[in-house]
Amino acid sequence: MGFAHTVGGTRHVFSDLRTLLARATPLRSGDVLAGVAAESAAERVAAQRALADLPLCHFLSETVVPYEDDEVTRLIVDGHDAAAFAPVSHLTVGGFRDWLLGDADSAALAALAPGLTPEMVAAVSKICRLQDLVTIAAKCRVTTRFRNTIGLPGTLSIRLQPNDPVDAPKGVAAQILDGLLLGAGDAVIGVNPATDNVENLCRLLAMLDGIRTRFDIPTQTCVLAHVTTTLLAIERGAPVDLVFQSIGGTQATNESFGVSLALLQEAREAALALKRGTLGDDLMYFETGQGSALSAEAHHGCDQQTIEARAYAVARAFSPLLVNSVVGFIGPEYLFDGKQITRAGLEDHFCGKLLGLPMGVDVCYTNHAEADQDDMDALLTLLGVAGVTYVMGVAGADDVMLAYQSTSFHDGLYARAALGKRPAPEFAAWLGRMGLAERTPDALPAPMTDLLR
């Protein structure tokens, strides 16, 4: 079956759903690199119009990655909730956009989420303007809990990211102190380890847990090691709060990361058995990013944004505490400049929230991309208006271990102040008890003065 639409007297034909979705995608360098992008603006408009006329129910009869070849496709198809989908089953993609902008409220969107497939939400995002992506995502409410409550209306959480080039304890501790003084850390205090082995992982986990328990901080910690390393750490009795893993939207992408759905389930069950959560048991932490499937030659001819949305189906299956699109991290080969990064970040947040996920976005870029901090300020502000669950807090916005540019602790304070947001309630209360809520960062309150000793 094919799809067609005429623009300017030229009839454009799209052979299958995968091709239609790819040609309808707003321009980005990764799709050009993959050879799946529209060849002209006219072809893109024709694909978007054809997509707008496509019934949503069509996505239940045609897959973009073969069912028999891919466990992510099987997860999407077999896990679809027909009863939840029923209220919008009669709509086209364009009609669905109109409904999302009009009658849909937070309760209706939460009930609908299990009935939506990633390809459906990717499709509607492709015919949305930026203001549509912001308006619709702002209606979505997704709340998760481990030691605090993340995602409540009017809140903006921050991941405190104290990465060090050699995992030096004092370097990590200095950044934790800096972040806590500036109100960061309610999403998670999470270290990307420079060295991924179980000994180093256990050392870092013990350090983070020691700081958390010493100051009775109502948050969770994580060392973002590979899931297999985290399983070894659990076997050794390490204080594992969250299980981290990078994931993708196809089985082959996940295999390139060294994971499968079964392995993720094993890790989740192992962490649940530790019973470390006090308010809830949402304990998985996933990171994603447009372009990873193409990097692994595992995209099956799909556009990178559709594959990214499929990664959210993987995340959804494991009730995560946090999901993070590291939107500009891979580089300009996939998102060339600030305009493409901005669009992608808002798309990812929109798609994740519609699918029922606690979406954060690492508002970031690499130094060889055509982007700068002004672009990141704009995207951070748009995401804050859109109700993003959390953003990154990196000392100086410059990650000295991963060598990319992100958002700083001060950027998080800006977003909270400008948009009237506050931290997770339990963390906000802790900041008050510690005398940090109104304190400027040049005065270290007792008993935190000896944190670096």
Side-chain angles (χ1 to χ4, degrees):
M1 177 181 177
F3 310 91
H5 200 92
T6 300
V7 171
T10 300
R11 182 174 173 82
H12 298 270
V13 179
F14 312 98
S15 59
D16 53 25
L17 181 61
R18 176 175 57 198
T19 303
L20 178 65
L21 289 168
R23 302 298 191 271
T25 306
L27 179 65
R28 62 207 58 197
S29 52
D31 291 339
V32 175
L33 180 65
V36 302
E39 294 184 0
S40 66
E43 184 184 21
R44 184 172 299 108
V45 169
Q48 290 171 339
R49 290 182 175 179
L51 186 61
D53 291 338
L54 187 67
L56 280 179
C57 58
H58 181 88
F59 291 87
L60 302 177
S61 61
E62 183 179 357
T63 62
V64 297
V65 181
Y67 180 94
E68 60 276 12
D69 296 339
D70 187 86
E71 67 174 359
V72 177
T73 300
R74 293 193 289 273
L75 175 70
I76 293 167
V77 173
D78 298 345
H80 181 253
D81 188 329
F85 178 61
V88 298
S89 60
H90 62 290
L91 297 175
T92 62
V93 172
F96 184 42
R97 170 185 172 273
D98 292 342
W99 179 82
L100 290 169
L101 287 168
D103 295 337
D105 59 19
S106 297
L109 292 174
L112 177 64
L116 297 177
T117 69
E119 291 84 356
M120 290 177 190
V121 299
V124 74
S125 76
K126 296 175 192 296
I127 62 168
C128 283
R129 295 173 59 184
L130 295 191
Q131 63 179 253
D132 300 337
L133 298 174
V134 170
T135 299
I136 296 166
K139 297 182 181 185
C140 298
R141 296 280 181 262
V142 181
T143 303
T144 56
R145 293 176 176 87
F146 189 74
R147 287 199 190 92
N148 57 23
T149 308
I150 297 172
L152 291 171
T155 63
L156 173 61
S157 293
I158 301 171
R159 171 189 160 185
L160 202 172
Q161 183 169 303
N163 295 346
D164 184 88
V166 293
D167 295 332
K170 284 192 175 182
V172 173
Q175 294 177 76
I176 292 175
L177 176 59
D178 191 17
L180 291 173
L181 289 170
L182 291 169
D186 54 333
V188 62
I189 301 175
V191 177
N192 295 85
T195 303
D196 191 333
N197 61 58
V198 68
E199 291 79 14
N200 189 51
L201 174 57
C202 290
R203 179 178 63 84
L204 287 171
L205 285 169
M207 175 190 174
L208 296 180
D209 196 57
I211 293 172
R212 182 192 64 79
T213 55
R214 179 179 179 185
F215 299 107
D216 195 24
I217 308 172
T219 190
Q220 35 285 326
T221 64
C222 184
V223 178
L224 283 68
H226 191 271
V227 64
T228 53
T229 313
T230 301
L231 277 168
L232 291 173
I234 291 174
E235 292 176 2
R236 295 191 181 191
V240 173
D241 286 347
L242 306 187
V243 174
F244 168 81
Q245 184 55 48
S246 295
I247 56 172
T250 68
Q251 178 177 334
T253 307
N254 288 324
E255 287 172 349
S256 76
F257 290 137
V259 300
S260 65
L261 299 182
L263 179 60
L264 294 176
Q265 182 61 29
E266 178 187 351
R268 180 171 184 267
E269 291 173 358
L272 284 171
L274 300 179
K275 300 184 183 300
R276 293 179 57 82
T278 55
L279 296 184
D281 58 7
D282 301 318
L283 50 70
M284 300 298 284
Y285 176 12
F286 295 115
E287 287 192 349
T288 66
Q290 291 192 29
S292 60
L294 178 56
S295 293
E297 298 184 351
H299 62 298
H300 293 267
C302 297
D303 68 273
Q304 65 186 38
Q305 190 257 334
T306 297
I307 293 295
E308 170 71 6
R310 283 169 53 95
Y312 305 152
V314 176
R316 183 170 61 175
F318 299 99
S319 302
L321 180 77
L322 306 167
V323 179
N324 180 36
S325 166
V326 192
V327 65
F329 181 74
I330 303 182
E333 300 86 356
Y334 305 97
L335 296 169
F336 180 73
D337 56 15
K339 181 180 178 66
Q340 292 186 12
I341 292 170
T342 296
R343 172 83 198 187
L346 292 171
E347 287 170 348
D348 294 350
H349 177 252
F350 167 95
C351 290
K353 280 291 185 66
L354 276 183
L355 291 169
L357 291 175
M359 283 301 297
V361 177
D362 190 345
V363 180
C364 65
Y365 63 101
T366 58
N367 287 316
H368 62 310
E370 292 294 321
D372 58 27
Q373 288 299 140
D374 284 343
D375 296 310
M376 300 304 102
D377 286 350
L379 178 53
L380 173 63
T381 305
L382 286 167
L383 285 165
V385 175
V388 70
T389 300
Y390 71 104
V391 294
M392 301 298 109
V394 178
D398 183 3
D399 192 306
V400 294
M401 194 279 283
L402 292 174
Y404 79 116
Q405 308 303 310
S406 185
T407 48
S408 70
F409 304 133
H410 294 84
D411 293 334
L413 287 181
Y414 146 74
R416 284 175 176 165
L419 301 172
K421 305 282 187 177
R422 57 192 184 278
E426 301 85 357
F427 191 81
W430 177 82
L431 290 172
R433 292 194 301 272
M434 295 297 291
L436 297 175
E438 304 298 331
R439 185 177 294 272
T440 56
D442 57 349
L444 301 183
M448 300 181 75
T449 53
D450 62 344
L451 180 58
L452 300 182
R453 294 177 186 172

